[in-house]
Amino acid sequence: MQRSRTRNVAGAALVLALLAAALPGPATSQVRLSITKGFGEKVIVAIPLFRGGRGTLVNAEDVRTVLRFDLETSGYFSAVENLQFVDEVEADDRLTGRIDFVEWNALGAEVVVKGEITGDLENFSIEASVHDLAQGQGIMARRYSGKPRQWRAAVHSLADDIVRQLTGEPGIATSKIAFVSDVTGVKQLYVMDYDGENQTRVVKDDLMSMYPDWFSDKDRLVYTRFRGSRQEVYVVRTTTGEQARLTSFPGLNAFVAVSPRGNEYLMTLSRDGNPEIYRLASDGSDPRRLTFNKSTESSPRWSPDGRRVAFVSDRAGSPQIYIMSASGGTAERVTYQGSYNTSPDWSPKGDLIAYTARVEGVFQIHTVDVNTKEVVRLTTGGGHKEDPSWAPDGRHLVYSVRSGGKSDLTMLDIYELEPLQLTSGGGDYLSPAWTP
Amino acid sequence: MRRIVVHLSIGILMVCVALAMQGCPCPPEDEEPTAEMAAMGETDALTGEDIALTDPPEEVIYIEPTTPEFETIYFEFDQYRIRGADEMSLGRIASYLREHQDVRVMIEGHCDERGTNEYNMALGEQRALAARRYLIGLGVTAARLSTISYGEERPIDHGSSEEAWATNRRDEFTVSQ
């Protein structure tokens, strides 16, 4: 997949005006794939080149490349490799005006995604249909329309719809990742597509910014900003850059986590003389202290149901991951291996907490099962890996990897463990936060 | 009229005093004060310089600096306990604050690069808070002491050696407001 560093200058361009419309036909939205897949088994998908595209600014080969990347990255699909055969069968289908399920099956395909690109220089539409080749029936058909700069977003939407339709799981192709980069010389807030494309700077000033976290609207971010000699928390709308201050307490104003419902925050403050965890109302007022220890309490993250908090404490002599009620009270320690476990993030599925652990001097990404306390190490090799953040599918993580004196962001499927580097811009890429 | 203005640096004087009393409390790579001292001679804080006789100075004014340079203090790896070697530095800050009741101090806590980015932000705050507690213990009013952590974001030495790390694990003190 190409990783062009194209910056989408107009942040507003990220507001999608995509029209996804169900097309008339035999497809219904309830139909799922007839094949039942075991754990780790993939659906084999054939993606013939979409028809049309002439006279538009959308390239059919690019569409196929992105769609294939999206479907394969989801973890549920494997694309038929031989594109020449795929396109030959598609050519025969077009001649006969029907779908030759036998020929498609002969390629090993279980589903085929067909499509057509229409439009002009101002607007485009991609009509796509998905067919279950074992049953010989359509599964879904949709049209995606927009401005030329939105073609990638349209393909991402198609991919997510296919994933949801066939697996019942949320896709991640339309998700975004906020992060911090110092490519301008100062750590600044950026947002990019989940595949590393469309990196866009959110706030255009020269103040150091860190620790972004998303609201559930996937538009607003909360983050810590160093203004004067203060840490302050701001809420910024990523599509417009407009922002407002949320907190400016003495000392730490860090690691803000927006509640799943978006109406409360958890954060670390030192206003009472020690780093402790506080719960704040939606306007940043009324900080309610949840921890009471002489130790360092830090990095709170909500459980997906909003009832519990994962956080870091060194109350036992070294930083470890704990969980407690979101109302405070007794905390339960969940990590016991190693002497440096930090940066928890609670899976949207609720079962796992990802975190950073120091192993033989190198930070590696781990998960711990909230119930069984089983620890799984996900990364190996040199280069510190820090700050994991879960994708909305509860299957992928993004984190920073330090190598050659700089950090880049990497995505990992926790079942397949093949890291995919998302950034390579020189300078540090840190503190990733995946949209919920 | 030509004037020679000599700025007395409290920081430099303090380092000299500290040297005389207990040896340098700073890590060896903290070269700045010692380099200046070498330029000024080992024993005297002030030194002379030849100037052209054709243009003699008519007046020499000594100005006490309005912004004091407080000494930086340092920490052990992963620790935020105040080291014995730094207690005198903090004592001098406290005594300066006793004599200048209008001065408020910002304490900046910093870390080396070895912890995680995130946890270092908390550790840096603990280092700043440790100094704040120590100064409060010496009678400084809490309201005059602010803290901020920069975690590992603002190293003095960008290297990755023991010396660089030791230099970067520090509290800096500046006059605020």
Side-chain angles (χ1 to χ4, degrees):
Chain A
M1 161 139 246
Q2 285 191 346
R3 302 243 170 266
S4 68
R5 292 273 64 81
T6 317
R7 293 254 168 91
N8 196 335
V9 178
L14 296 174
V15 188
L16 271 188
L18 289 176
L19 307 168
L23 298 177
T28 72
S29 61
Q30 278 76 38
V31 181
R32 294 264 172 85
L33 192 64
S34 60
I35 314 150
T36 306
K37 287 287 172 184
F39 183 80
E41 283 185 288
K42 308 223 178 210
V43 176
I44 311 299
V45 58
I47 311 175
L49 198 65
F50 285 13
R51 312 164 69 142
R54 279 182 211 87
T56 74
L57 294 174
V58 182
N59 179 290
E61 283 289 359
D62 293 343
V63 168
R64 171 153 72 180
T65 302
V66 172
L67 181 60
R68 177 178 180 173
F69 174 86
D70 286 350
L71 291 177
E72 293 198 320
T73 302
S74 78
Y76 299 110
F77 293 91
S78 179
V80 176
E81 286 290 340
N82 194 322
L83 296 180
Q84 189 189 334
F85 288 172
V86 166
D87 287 342
E88 283 173 9
V89 177
E90 174 68 4
D92 289 344
D93 276 5
R94 285 179 196 172
L95 280 175
T96 61
R98 45 182 288 276
I99 299 172
D100 190 337
F101 292 101
V102 176
E103 280 298 311
W104 285 115
N105 266 319
L107 288 179
E110 294 166 304
V111 296
V112 59
V113 183
K114 291 162 169 273
E116 181 170 10
I117 303 161
T118 56
D120 50 34
L121 295 176
E122 301 293 321
N123 297 282
F124 75 89
S125 285
I126 297 174
E127 283 184 19
S129 58
V130 183
H131 307 270
D132 179 341
L133 297 167
Q135 291 284 311
Q137 65 179 11
I139 296 174
M140 64 168 260
R142 284 199 163 176
R143 179 192 299 127
Y144 304 84
S145 304
K147 299 287 178 191
R149 64 171 185 268
Q150 297 171 304
W151 74 268
R152 295 185 69 93
V155 179
H156 291 326
S157 294
L158 168 61
D160 276 359
D161 288 341
I162 293 172
V163 169
R164 182 172 285 283
Q165 200 74 46
L166 269 64
T167 70
E169 299 287 332
I172 57 170
T174 54
S175 65
K176 295 186 186 304
I177 296 168
F179 62 96
V180 162
S181 172
D182 67 354
V183 288
T184 63
V186 179
K187 287 199 168 70
Q188 296 270 301
L189 210 53
Y190 294 79
V191 170
M192 65 181 181
D193 295 350
Y194 93 115
D195 56 4
E197 297 289 330
N198 289 319
Q199 295 181 12
T200 309
R201 191 167 154 190
V202 178
V203 181
K204 292 175 180 64
D205 62 26
D206 56 358
L207 300 182
M208 185 163 75
S209 304
M210 301 185 82
Y211 315 122
D213 191 43
W214 290 95
F215 283 80
S216 53
D217 63 13
K218 301 173 196 174
D219 181 10
R220 287 173 299 153
L221 282 171
V222 67
Y223 72 103
T224 296
R225 195 165 181 237
F226 290 72
R227 200 165 73 93
S229 287
R230 292 188 87 93
Q231 291 184 9
E232 298 184 331
V233 171
Y234 274 71
V235 174
V236 60
R237 195 170 287 283
T238 58
T239 44
T240 63
E242 62 182 317
Q243 59 177 348
R245 194 172 72 185
L246 185 75
T247 71
S248 180
F249 294 105
L252 279 177
N253 289 254
F255 322 124
V256 190
V258 184
S259 71
R261 291 172 61 194
N263 58 345
E264 282 181 283
Y265 308 95
L266 292 166
M267 64 187 294
T268 308
L269 298 173
S270 57
R271 64 195 293 256
D272 295 325
N274 195 53
E276 304 280 358
I277 291 165
Y278 295 76
R279 183 172 174 169
L280 294 88
S282 60
D283 63 354
S285 68
D286 191 24
R288 188 147 58 91
R289 186 168 161 184
L290 301 185
T291 55
F292 298 85
N293 269 286
K294 286 184 177 173
S295 50
T296 305
E297 326 290 334
S298 182
S299 309
R301 312 302 298 182
W302 298 89
S303 65
D305 64 5
R307 291 182 176 176
R308 287 188 288 175
V309 182
F311 66 102
V312 176
S313 172
D314 68 352
R315 62 184 66 176
S318 66
Q320 299 289 343
I321 312 295
Y322 291 75
I323 56 179
M324 68 178 171
S325 161
S327 312
T330 312
E332 178 192 5
R333 180 172 168 181
V334 292
T335 58
Y336 287 90
Q337 296 180 12
S339 62
Y340 201 106
N341 297 314
T342 67
S343 307
D345 193 39
W346 207 312
S347 158
K349 290 186 171 173
D351 53 344
L352 301 176
I353 293 171
Y355 63 99
T356 307
R358 190 167 59 202
V359 181
E360 290 163 0
V362 180
F363 291 118
Q364 305 284 3
I365 305 300
H366 293 62
T367 56
V368 59
D369 188 296
V370 174
N371 298 311
T372 66
K373 311 290 186 288
E374 183 196 6
V375 168
V376 177
R377 177 172 161 185
L378 300 179
T379 60
T380 55
H384 295 298
K385 293 97 183 164
E386 291 186 31
D387 254 342
S389 173
W390 287 100
D393 63 358
R395 171 171 183 153
H396 291 82
L397 288 166
V398 61
Y399 49 85
S400 67
V401 182
R402 187 142 194 93
S403 165
K406 64 188 199 65
S407 294
D408 276 297
L409 299 180
T410 288
M411 180 203 304
L412 184 73
D413 180 329
I414 63 166
Y415 300 128
E416 308 205 344
L417 303 182
E418 288 172 21
L420 180 69
Q421 187 175 328
L422 299 178
T423 64
S424 56
D428 286 336
Y429 289 71
L430 298 163
S431 286
W434 216 316
T435 45
Chain B
M1 179 189 288
R2 174 159 168 200
R3 294 177 172 184
I4 290 182
V5 179
V6 181
H7 292 271
L8 292 176
S9 165
I10 286 184
I12 291 166
L13 290 175
M14 283 178 168
V15 169
C16 293
V17 171
L19 258 181
M21 295 181 67
Q22 63 180 70
C24 183
C26 318
E29 61 281 353
D30 190 18
E31 291 292 346
E32 199 179 351
T34 47
E36 284 187 43
M37 279 172 47
M40 293 187 299
E42 287 298 324
T43 50
D44 297 320
L46 296 173
T47 185
E49 182 183 334
D50 290 338
I51 51 174
L53 285 170
T54 52
D55 186 16
E58 296 177 7
E59 202 181 337
V60 175
I61 305 168
Y62 292 94
I63 297 176
E64 193 177 343
T66 51
T67 305
E69 291 172 24
F70 298 124
E71 293 158 80
T72 298
I73 65 171
Y74 299 89
F75 294 87
E76 302 300 328
F77 174 60
D78 244 351
Q79 300 293 319
Y80 52 87
R81 200 172 300 116
I82 301 292
R83 306 182 314 167
D86 287 324
E87 290 180 4
M88 289 196 64
S89 305
L90 291 169
R92 281 187 285 272
I93 293 170
S95 86
Y96 181 88
L97 290 175
R98 270 195 296 276
E99 289 159 19
H100 300 80
Q101 288 292 330
D102 56 331
V103 170
R104 299 158 78 97
V105 167
M106 172 62 69
I107 311 169
E108 293 181 2
H110 298 267
C111 303
D112 68 30
E113 63 180 1
R114 282 179 293 175
T116 55
N117 230 289
E118 189 172 311
Y119 197 69
N120 270 342
M121 192 57 69
L123 178 60
E125 182 72 12
Q126 287 285 31
R127 287 177 176 163
L129 289 166
R132 183 174 184 266
R133 276 192 296 272
Y134 193 93
L135 292 172
I136 290 171
L138 294 179
V140 181
T141 317
R144 297 172 65 197
L145 301 167
S146 313
T147 59
I148 186 168
S149 174
Y150 288 104
E152 63 182 81
E153 304 302 323
R154 294 193 174 172
I156 296 281
D157 187 330
H158 288 262
S160 293
S161 60
E162 287 292 344
E163 291 78 11
W165 293 329
T167 305
N168 294 334
R169 296 189 301 264
R170 70 198 191 278
D171 276 349
E172 292 185 15
F173 302 84
T174 56
V175 169
S176 67
Q177 297 172 348

